[in-house]
Amino acid sequence: MWRTVFVGRAPIYEGYRYTAVSAASAFNVSDARVIDNTLDTPINATFTSAQSRTWRVQITSTVGTAGELAKTLQASVSVQIVQERTTAIGVNAGLVVAPHTRVTGQYGVHAFDVVYDV
């Protein structure tokens, strides 16, 4: 990756080399359901799950003038930046649960934990 840095008006180019050291597969569980079949016969079961998460980032800045020199003139500027994102996942899964067994259904995201050197 190359990055440009200016010293005065002269550009200087800096290069970075990223080297992957390791990558491991991971499953990040967000929700789980369990079904127990205590009967002597198989049963049909359905897992249902829905998750929704909202992330909000808010930045507020206020600039103003006050004091002896600004008694007659006061200025104020206020800026507010808001970013909001909602992610949702919904899962329905049907299966047969054998007699006298337990089934666990886990929902989540398959991800990779990556380690690298710069």
Side-chain angles (χ1 to χ4, degrees):
M1 182 180 99
W2 290 93
R3 182 177 89 149
T4 305
V5 178
F6 287 92
V7 177
R9 291 186 176 183
I12 296 176
Y13 298 98
E14 296 179 340
Y16 295 93
R17 180 182 300 221
Y18 293 87
T19 305
V21 176
S22 67
S25 178
F27 185 70
N28 301 324
V29 177
S30 64
D31 197 14
R33 297 286 188 266
V34 176
I35 295 177
D36 286 318
N37 182 2
T38 59
L39 302 174
D40 293 330
T41 59
I43 61 170
N44 292 319
T46 301
F47 288 111
T48 302
S49 176
Q51 294 284 323
S52 178
R53 295 214 166 93
T54 300
W55 306 94
R56 180 182 175 98
V57 176
Q58 181 171 337
I59 301 169
T60 304
S61 177
T62 303
V63 177
T65 58
E68 290 296 321
L69 297 176
K71 280 186 178 177
T72 58
L73 174 64
Q74 290 189 355
S76 179
V77 177
S78 180
V79 176
Q80 186 177 35
I81 300 170
V82 177
Q83 180 181 11
E84 205 169 271
R85 170 170 274 188
T86 300
T87 58
I89 183 172
V91 177
N92 288 324
L95 64 139
V96 176
V97 182
H100 303 286
T101 60
R102 170 181 282 182
V103 175
T104 302
Q106 295 179 331
Y107 309 98
V109 177
H110 186 238
F112 291 92
D113 294 327
V114 179
V115 177
Y116 61 90
D117 288 335
V118 180

